[in-house]
Amino acid sequence: MVRRVAVIGAGVGGLVSVKCCLDEGLEPICFESSEDIGGVWRYTDSTDNSRVSVYDSIITNTSKEMSCFSDFPYPEDFPSYLPHSLVLEYLRMYARHFDLLRHIRFQTTVLSVRKRPDFTTSGQWEVVTETDGVQEFHVFDAVMVCTGHYQEPYLPLASFPGTESRFKGQHLHSWKYRDVQAFRGKRVLVVGIGNTGGDLSVELSRVAAKVFLCTRSNTWVISRVSDHGFPFDMVSTTRFNHFLDWLLPSALTRRIKFQKFNSWFNHTNYGLASSKSSKFKMIINEELPFCLLSGTVVLKPNVKEFTENSAVFEDGTTEENIDVVLFATGYNFSFPFLEESVRSTIDDNRSLYKCIFPPQLEKPTLAIIGLIQLTGSIMVGSEMQARWVAGVFAGWNKLPPSSRMMADVLKKKPSVKRNPSERENLKMSFISYMDEIAACAGVKPRVLRLLLTDPQLALAVFFGPCSPYQFRLVGRGKWSGARVAILTQWQRTLKPLRSRVVDDNSDSSSGWHWMCLLALSVALTAGFLFSKYPQPSWRPWAGPQL
């Protein structure tokens, strides 16, 4: 019987894991190597230690309604997209509200996590920690590893010949970047066009003499501001859109998305992406297109090699007098404290059952929380993982036999190991993954049942944003405030914008409800036909990309 649970890390994953363990009557002890909570969201202007933190200017890519914990909405006066200071403030509010801090041991490093000699029967772990130079030995019934995947900077210098041997300028990884001051007046090359590479290129363009951004990927650039000024993820991440992605051929849905993206600006003209390519990634950035249009950022293909003061690109062009090369090439994860027999089996999250449990263990008492790449909020995904895991540890949820878990892992695991920059292309559908774990935990919302018992809520759940509150409507951990939170999420989104009110008597709410009813009837009819008549075996399943 699991009682004592070790939680490693007091970032987002660690906080929700402690809270979920308490909800299930377990006894968690969280070990945090630093002096405070927050993980990467606790900004520091120092790069002297190995702790990874966000850069000072960062703004969240997911809106507050789509990235809050499922039973604790952000304050209504917080903006939809948040700086790191407000995210950290929210995490502090969460920790205080649920009285989590007394379960955390700060400035305590986990040195080792090893199976006990009787692990095959007890499932217990020996954990050694160190505080102020003093080591302590513990025995825990289960362990939740919540160190995330932003741990070790991935710096593939071997892929860029001459970086160390010939190039005389400065080169550094983006984890050392804090602000623009050190780059003022310099010619900067940013390697990698993920969200970080795009953000830093835009910010540097305001002070640098010139910024070059190189990429080898087809990249679609998306704005946080969507139709009618609403947050993009609230408009796009809906169960209705998810259903259409399942219903329509993947080639058609991809074409529709590309047309939508190109309606903002033609990505081919900007050298970013071609609609003919089947391999692509998406980043969030409102300012990058204008920087490219104004020439403050110049897009380049992948770097072939570096000379003493220049970069030679794969298309044969050269840019001279490069002062700084900034590698925005992602991060590797590692678990140096885990014993080798366990650590060696974890290549990436696809080596884990449901991206959580190492399937080879005789007893499922080790869980990895937050090692996921989703098209939505990792905070929300981590909370859902923690809820399910705590239920498994408490005995409410059951896992299949190890053989079945292994078979499931082998079926879903990519054939080749990917580097961090390529893992961006392996992001899982937010709704698909949330529903999958929610079904395991017994908390997946039942839209058809809601349609019979609460039609207003059913419409909001199916056509509105797939916000975290949906997963508190049923099952263990059901929250009495979930229904109200869903029906008022748009009001909380608009609240911070009401600093100047303009009279507008138009009311389109009744028309919206009629449109929802019409679309729901079409969706139900289509779903019935697809379930009644067999589909071609070649038809691929396509979850939503956004």
Side-chain angles (χ1 to χ4, degrees):
M1 180 65 181
V2 170
R3 295 299 300 174
R4 299 184 74 239
V5 181
V7 178
I8 303 176
V12 170
L15 292 177
V16 294
S17 294
V18 171
K19 193 259 186 186
C20 292
C21 285
L22 293 173
D23 288 345
E24 295 293 353
L26 305 176
E27 300 170 8
I29 298 179
C30 178
F31 301 107
E32 169 56 43
S33 60
S34 71
E35 70 280 3
D36 204 353
I37 65 171
V40 297
W41 287 106
R42 183 161 56 84
Y43 170 76
T44 174
D45 57 8
S46 172
T47 58
D48 294 339
N49 56 38
S50 59
R51 189 176 75 84
V52 175
S53 87
V54 295
Y55 41 94
D56 192 25
S57 61
I58 196 169
I59 299 292
T60 57
N61 287 332
T62 52
S63 63
K64 66 176 183 180
E65 294 299 316
M66 300 296 285
S67 58
C68 65
F69 298 126
S70 57
D71 56 354
F72 195 75
Y74 275 95
E76 64 175 8
D77 59 337
F78 276 31
S80 285
Y81 293 103
L82 304 153
H84 60 77
S85 58
L86 290 184
V87 176
L88 182 59
E89 182 179 340
Y90 170 73
L91 296 178
R92 294 194 194 286
M93 294 166 60
Y94 182 79
R96 288 194 300 268
H97 181 79
F98 292 107
D99 195 21
L100 305 181
L101 295 179
R102 65 189 179 94
H103 300 279
I104 304 174
R105 297 188 183 181
F106 292 106
Q107 295 184 314
T108 301
T109 302
V110 175
L111 300 180
S112 68
V113 176
R114 305 183 65 84
K115 299 177 185 176
R116 295 206 76 196
D118 62 348
F119 181 83
T120 55
T121 55
S122 70
Q124 291 182 324
W125 299 86
E126 297 176 349
V127 178
V128 178
T129 62
E130 183 177 80
T131 307
D132 296 328
V134 178
Q135 293 189 9
E136 188 175 357
F137 177 85
H138 315 261
V139 174
F140 285 97
D141 300 312
V143 176
M144 299 174 76
V145 178
C146 309
T147 51
H149 55 258
Y150 299 110
Q151 297 174 32
E152 296 181 352
Y154 175 66
L155 195 58
L157 298 182
S159 299
F160 304 96
T163 308
E164 294 181 292
S165 60
R166 295 191 297 270
F167 184 61
K168 293 185 176 180
Q170 181 186 8
H171 72 269
L172 68 158
H173 190 275
S174 59
W175 86 273
K176 291 187 175 181
Y177 179 91
R178 291 298 179 266
D179 56 42
V180 299
Q181 299 307 318
F183 302 86
R184 190 173 298 275
K186 296 184 177 181
R187 289 169 63 84
V188 183
L189 171 61
V190 178
V191 178
I193 196 175
N195 285 314
T196 299
D199 284 351
L200 300 190
S201 296
V202 168
E203 184 170 29
L204 290 170
S205 71
R206 302 187 183 110
V207 301
K210 197 73 170 180
V211 175
F212 303 94
L213 173 60
C214 79
T215 177
R216 61 184 176 186
S217 307
N218 276 286
T219 305
W220 296 92
V221 182
I222 314 300
S223 172
R224 294 175 182 85
V225 184
S226 186
D227 299 339
H228 307 293
F230 289 111
F232 174 77
D233 54 356
M234 293 186 72
V235 173
S236 63
T237 310
T238 70
R239 293 187 176 278
F240 178 65
N241 288 343
H242 182 76
F243 174 75
L244 291 180
D245 279 341
W246 170 82
L247 183 67
L248 301 174
S250 58
L252 178 58
T253 58
R254 187 163 57 244
R255 182 178 178 182
I256 293 172
K257 287 184 175 71
F258 290 169
Q259 288 180 341
K260 176 67 174 177
F261 300 157
N262 274 330
S263 67
W264 182 26
F265 70 95
N266 189 304
H267 285 65
T268 302
N269 290 345
Y270 283 63
L272 283 162
S274 168
S275 57
K276 296 179 181 179
S277 175
S278 59
K279 293 184 178 181
F280 61 92
K281 65 180 179 182
M282 291 171 288
I283 66 170
I284 305 291
N285 200 303
E286 298 77 34
E287 298 179 75
L288 182 59
F290 176 73
C291 289
L292 294 172
L293 194 63
S294 63
T296 55
V297 175
V298 176
L299 196 66
K300 302 293 292 186
N302 198 39
V303 173
K304 180 181 178 182
E305 63 177 338
F306 288 99
T307 64
E308 288 187 356
N309 63 357
S310 63
V312 181
F313 299 94
E314 290 182 346
D315 63 353
T317 59
T318 301
E319 293 296 342
E320 305 284 350
N321 302 318
I322 300 296
D323 298 303
V324 183
V325 179
L326 183 60
F327 288 93
T329 45
Y331 293 83
N332 281 320
F333 64 87
S334 65
F335 308 110
F337 46 81
L338 288 180
E339 67 172 69
E340 175 61 24
S341 65
V342 178
R343 187 172 68 242
S344 61
T345 64
I346 306 175
D347 294 329
D348 54 32
N349 60 10
R350 305 300 177 98
S351 304
L352 305 170
Y353 180 65
K354 308 295 186 186
C355 302
I356 303 172
F357 291 100
Q360 301 90 345
L361 293 178
E362 300 91 337
K363 296 287 185 178
T365 54
L366 174 67
I368 313 295
I369 303 298
L371 194 65
I372 44 177
Q373 293 276 6
L374 301 176
T375 57
S377 170
I378 295 178
M379 286 178 61
V380 177
S382 298
E383 184 197 24
M384 181 55 68
Q385 289 180 327
R387 290 178 65 188
W388 180 40
V389 169
V392 170
F393 289 167
W396 297 106
N397 305 128
K398 303 297 181 183
L399 293 178
S402 178
S403 57
R404 282 179 54 193
M405 291 194 289
M406 283 291 298
D408 184 78
V409 167
L410 293 174
K411 181 175 64 175
K412 296 178 179 179
K413 190 174 180 181
S415 56
V416 295
K417 188 175 181 180
R418 308 299 181 104
N419 65 47
S421 61
E422 292 172 322
R423 287 183 208 140
E424 188 77 10
N425 302 330
L426 294 176
K427 281 187 175 182
M428 296 176 288
S429 159
F430 174 77
I431 296 180
S432 294
Y433 186 74
M434 289 291 291
D435 276 354
E436 182 178 4
I437 305 303
C440 294
V443 297
K444 181 181 176 181
R446 305 179 183 94
V447 179
L448 291 179
R449 181 176 296 182
L450 278 177
L451 188 62
L452 299 176
T453 59
D454 193 338
Q456 182 186 12
L457 181 59
L459 291 175
V461 167
F462 189 70
F463 291 103
C466 185
S467 48
Y469 322 118
Q470 294 191 7
F471 300 95
R472 290 284 181 177
L473 290 171
V474 297
R476 291 185 62 78
K478 179 180 177 180
W479 177 42
S480 60
R483 182 182 188 275
V484 173
I486 292 170
L487 296 179
T488 57
Q489 56 196 347
W490 290 111
Q491 288 93 309
R492 285 191 301 279
T493 300
L494 295 176
K495 171 70 174 179
L497 302 176
R498 301 303 192 191
S499 55
R500 178 176 181 267
V501 180
V502 179
D503 290 335
D504 186 359
N505 296 323
S506 63
D507 183 8
S508 59
S509 59
S510 60
W512 181 84
H513 283 299
W514 281 111
M515 289 295 293
C516 286
L517 288 171
L518 178 61
L520 182 61
S521 63
V522 172
L524 292 175
T525 302
F528 171 76
L529 292 175
F530 267 72
S531 62
K532 184 176 181 62
Y533 298 105
Q535 302 303 308
S537 59
W538 53 263
R539 177 183 177 83
W541 181 88
Q545 296 297 313
L546 294 171

